Structures are given as C-alpha cells and as structure tokens.
Amino acid sequence: MKTFCGRANPTTGALDWVEESEEYDYHQEIARSCYADMLHDKDRNEKYYRGIRAAVERVKARGEQAVVLDIGTGTGLLSMMAVSAGADYCYAVEVFRPMAEAAVCIVERNGFSNKIKVINKHSTEVTVGLGGDMETRANILITELFDTELIGEGALPSYEHAHLHLMQEGCEAVPHRATVYAQLVQADQLWSWAQLQPIEVTGFKLLPPPAVRRCAGAPSVCDIQLSQVPPESFTPLSPLCTMFSMEFSKPVSSTPQSHSCRFVAQASGQAQVVLSWWDIDMDPKGTIVCTLAPRWTYDNPRSIDSWRDHWMQSVYFLPAEERVMEGDECSLTVSHDDYSLWFSLQPHSEKEAVVSRPYCTCQAHLVWTRPRFGELNDTQRTDCYVRALRSVLKADSVCLGVSDGSLLPIFAHLLGANKLTYDLCLSLDSPVCFTCSTFPQVSVLMGEPYFSTSLLPWHSLFFWYSRTALARLLRPDAVILPQCGILYIVAVEFQDLWRIRAPCGTCQGFDVRPMDKMIQQSLDFRESREAEPHALWEYPCRALTPPYPVMTFDFTQLVPEEPLNSEGTVPFIRSGLCHGVVLWMEYQLTDHVTVSTGLMGPVTEQGTCHWSPHRKQGVYFSPSPWDSPGDSRAALSYSLTFEPSVGDIRMDFCSTSTL
C-alpha cells in the first residue's frame, strides 16, 4: 500500500507531496541504523561471548539447566553464543519486526532453530507459563539494551520488569554489572556549545541577554567520540570519579536516584563540563570488562582497537560555570530518572538528594543546536563575516538578513548600517511575506547561510531560493552576501567510519549474511546511493585526492530553471582504500573572504583533514572500497546534477583508470 506524504523540502522551502510505501519509514530505520556497527565491534562481541560462556558454566556447575532470556536480541547473535556455550534453551526477544524476522532467518541458517525461540514483542509483553511465550522463567539474563548514556534505551524499566516477571531468583546476568565514571573539567571549546558567549565587534562587546545568561541550558546528553577531543583542550579539575554501579543479576529499580562523589579539586579553573563514560563487567569477578573509556586514557592508545559508533562517550554541561580552586572540597552529583542522567556540582555535603533536572528557560536552546552555539561563539568565523560586511556596507545601507537566528543584522548595525536593518526569518513554505509597498528597497541581502532544517550541505541553498523570491525587493545594484556557494568533493579513506556500511558476512563464527541482505535491501529501497550527513571532526580520514570544486551556485543570479550538470575526474594522489567521497560547501562572502563548512585548512602531506566542528559534511559511501595506487594511474570520476525544481543533487562516483 502506498500513500501521499507531505514533506517540507529543506532546500526549496516548498511542501513536496511524495508517494511513499508504508514500509518506507522502517526501511529508513534499518538503512541508517548501527546494527552493522555493533556486529563489527570485535571487542564487544568477544567480551559478550566470554561472559556468556562463564555464566552458562556457573549455572551448569549448580546442576541446573541453562535457560536464557535474551532481551533486544537484534540478529540473535548473543542467543547463538549462549546455545554454542551449552545453554539448553534460549528465548530471544526483539520488538522491531524486521529485525525479529532477520533473527529467525539467521538462527535457522546457523542451525539453532530447535533451541532458540524468537519472540517478536516488547519484553514487558512477554508471558510465562503453559501456553505463554516462555514455558518457564529463565535463569540467565542476556541483554544489550545500552546506549551512550547507559540507560537511554529504557534499560532500567526493562530490567525491573524482567526480574519481577521473567527471571528466576538468584539468576545470572550478562553483563553482570555497569559502572558510570565522570570527570569534571574546564573545557572552553566544549563549553562554547552550551551557552552564548560575549562577542566583540569593532570595539563593541555584545553580551547575551540576561535570560540567556541565567539559563541552565539543554539538559540532554551530548554524545560524541571523545577520543577525538584532544586532552590538551581541557583542564581536569577532579580525578576520575566512580559515580555509581548497578548489578543486573539483582532486582533493578527505575525510580529516580542520586549519587555523589566527593573529591578535592586538583586544579583551579572554571567548572563547566562533565566528561562521562561507562564500563560493563561481563562476570561477577570483573575479569571480563568492556569499557567505553576514550583512547587518551590508555598508556598506548595506538594499541587499542575498540572503535564503535553505537556507543560513544557523554558530555554533560553544568547549569552554570562555577569557580573551583585547587584544594577545594567538592561533591559531584549525578541524578537519573528511568531514561537519562544529569550532573551538578555541590559544596562538600554529607547528605545526598536528587537534584532537579535542569531545563531551558530562555528558548534559545530549543532553537539552536549545540554545534550552532559553537558556530556563533567562533571568533574566527565572526571575524570573517565582520570583514565581509565592513567591505560592502555604507551608512545608508538597507540590509535584509536571510538566516535562522543569525547575528549578522546586529553586526551590520554596529558597522554603520544605521538607516535600516532587518532580520527576516523565513518559513519553509512561504519565503516572502512582504510587498514592495510595505518594504524599502534592499541594498544588501545577507545570510550565513544557516537554516535549522538543513541536514546536508546543499540544503543551505534555501538562501538562493529565498534570494530569488525576494528579487523584487532588491535594488538593481544590491549586494548579495555571500556571492556564491561552491560545492567541493574529496575522496577519502576512513580510519573507522567505513564500518557502519560494511557487510559483516560472519561474526564470531556465525553467519549473519541475512542481516547484510536486509540492510542492503533497505538502502536500495529508494535512492540507494545518497549522501549522509556526518560530523567528520569526530571521524578521522585521509584525503586520497585533492579537494576539488565541482559545482558553483551563483547567488547574484536567480535560481535557474534548467539543471546544472558537472562531470569530470580527480586524480588519486595518495595510496589507500577509498571508502567514499566527502562533500561540503564553501561560501564566497566577497571577493576576498570565504567561509567553509568542510575543510578548515590545507590537507597535510599525509592526507590528514581538519573538518569544521560546527557543520555536518555529506558522505557518499562507495558500495565497496576502491583501491587507490596513489600515483595518478587511477582517478575519481564524478557526475553531479543539481535539479532546481526539487533542490537536490543527484550524484554518482566511481574509480576509473587514467591509463
């Protein structure tokens, strides 16, 4: 069955009506999931396998049959591990129907159908007893219900229900225990993501409104690849604190709780940010440990192969900066409900109490993302816009700003555009709400361009469509800033990100090819070769070709009616495996000022790339890696078409020989 769905087009601003299959949403869920990443996580898989073997051995040593309950089975991998380790029977629970169907296929393919029952339900709906989903309660509980924040996928309510209704008393659990760690730091770069900082423009110091300065900010976790945050960019104010542990073989409570860790400040500074991660012990003795600790915590980081994207590390922002002096006695408190954590810094106290969850009161944190706060606080970026505006503004300039929540109109006013300055917030479905009779002729149309609806780099071409719609309001000699946008590409070899799209084949000796097939079918469901948005500052890569401009969008002209086409080749100049192509926009503000949403500087001789921390880049993953000899015998062949009617870019890339 198909239905028409209305979708706001982030580039054109129009409401597009498209015919979608009823299966579209879950195909997108599968295609963009991290299932493959989990299967590629060798460290996770090996630790689970060892923990499961040990749990089965402990149950068998008591003379009991090993009956396993696997909640959130996914592919059925952990259930197959359990049966291979000697479990007598396993109930594998999976609520997501396509995943449950894949698990049935995988279990059958590996010959475990007689010992594994896949149950397509939420675990809280599973019944026990004669005629129920489970004939008897289990004595081994296996789960992988964790996210970056540990409890964000509902682990606590699921454990609580399982112990009450599905598990035997004194059961074993894999993992056995989880421990949450935290460290209080001063990290100015990370803190710039939390609050709007004072901005200096031509001698003026712009202060955030009082409501913004008093706001506690967004309470939700900021999950990032903390290994990519260099240790020299922050100052530890506390030692690494063990905040709390929970044992999963015992009854678990989902009621709100609070835990505090007292410490003596080891340095003076502004307490701003809490860095946090967790470990899971697969066995009661803690000899089998899977840790999320960032690489820089290890003595030899290069020896660690524990990259994963399904679990990362957590950054929490305190409600406000607090000055801490070396030697001060402090107490770091973590509170949690059944789904999330939050931190607070308190004076040394004997009493623990649940601290109220902070929330945004200024509304800015509901509009701007954390990277957007960082972008607005970027002094180098601000300097680029100020220099560009200074070169085009006159005392009688009438300015119109086209961006979401931009500070450019304020900059323009401070730079002398005193006659009239406007900031126009455009809706996606109606970019023009003024007429020539009610609006003065505009001499400077400016934009960053930034729009909260943009996911891929070219979505910000909404500025171009807005400029076209506003043409009748512009003077004949009006300045358009930026003048143009240039789409760049570079072929790259990813250090780790390739894993999220690579087929698994086998995992720990089990055939999981039905999973590979399911993901590929979902990728092929519609427009199989699309670029995806990724913040590449978190994902190291090497450039195998030079960065290359492939398409220019001239904002001084109206959006054309005909498609724009670009074809050509870019030589591979470095050897390696090409996992895909990165795309980003550079905006030519004036003849001499450019702002990039991708590369922030030249690529090093070794191919190292430094990416903008504020915007996501587009990544086109190749169906399979291309080999780059690095001596220009091969080239990246590209073909791109920009369709003005839909505001999208159709793209195709392949590797070609230059011989």
Side-chain angles (χ1 to χ4, degrees):
M1 179 179 177
K2 292 187 176 183
T3 183
F4 280 101
C5 300
R7 301 187 186 277
N9 189 311
T11 306
T12 66
L15 182 64
D16 296 337
W17 287 93
V18 293
E19 189 180 44
E20 298 285 17
S21 166
E22 63 181 1
E23 300 176 337
Y24 175 74
D25 286 338
Y26 82 66
H27 276 295
Q28 287 294 95
E29 175 72 18
I30 295 169
R32 301 295 181 248
S33 70
C34 287
Y35 290 121
D37 174 38
M38 287 187 282
L39 296 179
H40 282 294
D41 190 343
K42 184 179 178 181
D43 178 70
R44 162 195 176 270
N45 298 335
E46 288 180 346
K47 301 290 176 58
Y48 261 100
Y49 211 167
R50 289 171 58 193
I52 289 169
R53 285 196 196 100
V56 171
E57 288 173 2
R58 290 194 298 273
V59 170
K60 293 285 188 177
R62 298 197 295 260
E64 303 174 18
Q65 280 198 326
V67 181
V68 175
L69 173 62
D70 176 8
I71 299 179
T73 192
T75 58
L77 176 66
L78 302 185
S79 293
M80 293 188 294
M81 289 179 178
V83 172
S84 295
D88 295 281
Y89 201 77
C90 184
Y91 297 100
V93 180
E94 175 57 50
V95 68
F96 188 38
R97 180 173 61 83
M99 199 71 249
E101 292 172 352
V104 170
C105 293
I106 292 171
V107 166
E108 182 178 355
R109 178 182 287 263
N110 287 274
F112 295 114
S113 296
N114 63 328
K115 286 198 172 185
I116 298 176
K117 179 182 180 181
V118 178
I119 303 170
N120 181 206
K121 286 184 176 181
H122 193 283
S123 63
T124 57
E125 300 172 343
V126 171
T127 57
V128 180
L130 185 64
D133 300 307
M134 299 170 60
E135 290 186 4
T136 182
R137 289 187 177 221
N139 55 10
I140 299 178
L141 176 59
I142 301 174
T143 60
E144 209 281 53
L145 300 172
F146 314 115
D147 68 347
T148 294
E149 204 171 12
L150 183 66
I151 63 173
E153 291 185 1
L156 295 183
S158 296
Y159 273 116
E160 187 174 44
H161 177 272
H163 278 289
L164 286 172
H165 302 285
L166 306 176
M167 302 304 300
Q168 298 177 21
E169 186 177 353
C171 67
E172 302 284 343
V174 182
H176 175 80
R177 180 190 303 109
T179 304
V180 174
Y181 302 93
Q183 186 169 40
L184 182 69
V185 302
Q186 175 176 334
D188 294 337
Q189 182 62 44
L190 291 175
W191 182 248
S192 72
W193 290 8
Q195 300 288 354
L196 192 61
Q197 307 297 318
I199 301 173
E200 291 194 10
V201 180
T202 66
F204 293 92
K205 192 170 187 178
L206 297 176
L207 298 176
V212 176
R213 296 201 301 269
R214 292 193 300 265
C215 182
S220 59
V221 64
C222 178
D223 53 339
I224 62 174
Q225 293 284 357
L226 201 54
S227 293
Q228 300 309 312
V229 177
E232 59 269 18
S233 69
F234 60 85
T235 302
L237 303 179
S238 77
L240 184 62
C241 300
T242 301
M243 299 307 301
F244 67 92
S245 294
M246 54 179 68
E247 292 192 5
F248 301 125
S249 59
K250 299 177 181 179
V252 173
S253 173
S254 62
T255 57
Q257 296 182 30
S258 184
H259 310 271
S260 295
C261 180
R262 301 170 190 165
F263 66 91
V264 175
Q266 62 187 39
S268 298
Q270 293 294 112
Q272 302 166 327
V273 174
V274 176
L275 310 180
S276 180
W277 57 86
W278 48 262
D279 292 347
I280 45 178
D281 297 330
M282 297 298 181
D283 64 321
K285 294 182 179 180
T287 58
I288 309 169
V289 183
C290 184
T291 179
L292 268 63
R295 287 177 181 267
W296 38 256
T297 63
Y298 294 90
D299 293 334
N300 184 13
R302 294 187 177 182
S303 67
I304 305 302
D305 183 22
S306 60
W307 182 88
R308 48 178 67 96
D309 205 45
H310 58 101
W311 296 331
M312 292 186 276
Q313 294 79 38
S314 300
V315 172
Y316 297 90
F317 302 100
L318 294 181
E321 288 183 293
E322 296 185 44
R323 184 67 182 173
V324 171
M325 300 302 295
E326 183 177 358
D328 284 353
E329 292 190 358
C330 304
S331 182
L332 184 64
T333 299
V334 61
S335 301
H336 70 80
D337 52 23
D338 50 351
Y339 281 94
S340 58
L341 282 66
W342 58 93
F343 284 82
S344 60
L345 183 64
Q346 299 174 333
H348 179 66
S349 174
E350 296 292 332
K351 184 179 180 181
E352 288 187 359
V354 177
V355 179
S356 298
R357 181 181 174 89
Y359 61 93
C360 174
T361 56
C362 72
Q363 310 303 313
H365 298 87
L366 305 180
V367 177
W368 291 333
T369 63
R370 288 184 171 120
R372 177 59 173 167
F373 272 95
E375 190 169 52
L376 294 173
N377 288 325
D378 188 329
T379 55
Q380 292 183 341
R381 181 179 176 277
T382 294
D383 181 63
C384 288
Y385 282 99
V386 169
R387 286 191 288 117
L389 286 170
R390 182 182 284 115
S391 69
V392 302
L393 289 177
K394 301 176 181 178
D396 62 347
S397 292
V398 176
C399 303
L400 179 61
V402 179
S403 284
D404 281 352
S406 175
L407 301 179
L408 294 191
I410 299 175
F411 297 166
H413 175 74
L414 293 176
L415 289 167
N418 294 320
K419 184 174 182 181
L420 194 58
T421 304
Y422 287 89
D423 182 20
L424 179 60
C425 296
L426 303 174
S427 65
L428 276 174
D429 56 357
S430 180
V432 181
C433 53
F434 299 100
T435 65
C436 294
S437 60
T438 62
F439 204 85
Q441 289 287 287
V442 174
S443 57
V444 178
L445 179 68
M446 57 189 179
E448 301 189 32
Y450 168 81
F451 303 99
S452 59
T453 52
S454 299
L455 294 176
L456 290 163
W458 47 92
H459 289 170
S460 289
L461 291 177
F462 181 52
F463 174 82
W464 199 13
Y465 288 82
S466 301
R467 174 262 183 272
T468 300
L470 294 166
R472 66 182 184 276
L473 301 181
L474 306 181
R475 294 179 186 175
D477 60 346
V479 173
I480 311 297
L481 188 157
Q483 300 173 348
C484 67
I486 305 170
L487 182 67
Y488 275 79
I489 64 170
V490 65
V492 300
E493 176 183 54
F494 283 112
Q495 179 175 301
D496 295 296
L497 190 62
W498 60 270
R499 302 173 195 247
I500 68 172
R501 289 290 166 264
C504 296
T506 60
C507 180
Q508 297 297 120
F510 301 101
D511 186 349
V512 293
R513 283 177 293 177
M515 174 68 182
D516 295 334
K517 182 179 179 181
M518 182 182 72
I519 292 176
Q520 190 58 52
Q521 286 176 338
S522 291
L523 285 169
D524 291 340
F525 183 72
R526 197 189 79 180
E527 298 143 358
S528 61
R529 303 291 357 130
E530 290 184 328
E532 303 174 14
H534 290 281
L536 291 187
W537 73 268
E538 297 185 62
Y539 306 107
C541 62
R542 292 176 55 245
L544 302 181
T545 66
Y548 193 75
V550 292
M551 192 170 284
T552 299
F553 308 96
D554 187 355
F555 300 153
T556 65
Q557 304 298 315
L558 303 183
V559 175
E561 295 182 0
E562 298 299 320
L564 300 178
N565 299 293
S566 179
E567 296 181 351
T569 59
V570 188
F572 284 107
I573 60 173
R574 297 181 185 89
S575 61
L577 282 179
C578 178
H579 296 118
V581 179
V582 179
L583 304 96
W584 72 97
M585 295 288 288
E586 290 192 4
Y587 295 106
Q588 192 77 39
L589 303 184
T590 65
D591 292 339
H592 306 292
V593 183
T594 301
V595 172
S596 175
T597 66
L599 285 176
M600 301 306 292
V603 175
T604 68
E605 186 175 342
Q606 294 75 29
T608 303
C609 303
H610 175 48
W611 299 101
S612 168
H614 309 312
R615 301 281 184 103
K616 290 184 177 181
Q617 293 73 44
V619 179
Y620 176 101
F621 289 98
S622 60
S624 58
W626 303 316
D627 184 57
S628 167
D631 55 7
S632 298
R633 287 182 297 165
L636 174 71
S637 177
Y638 65 87
S639 175
L640 298 101
T641 300
F642 173 68
E643 296 281 0
S645 60
V646 295
D648 201 7
I649 297 178
R650 289 189 289 107
M651 60 189 69
D652 186 52
F653 299 96
C654 64
S655 177
T656 60
S657 173
T658 58
L659 296 179

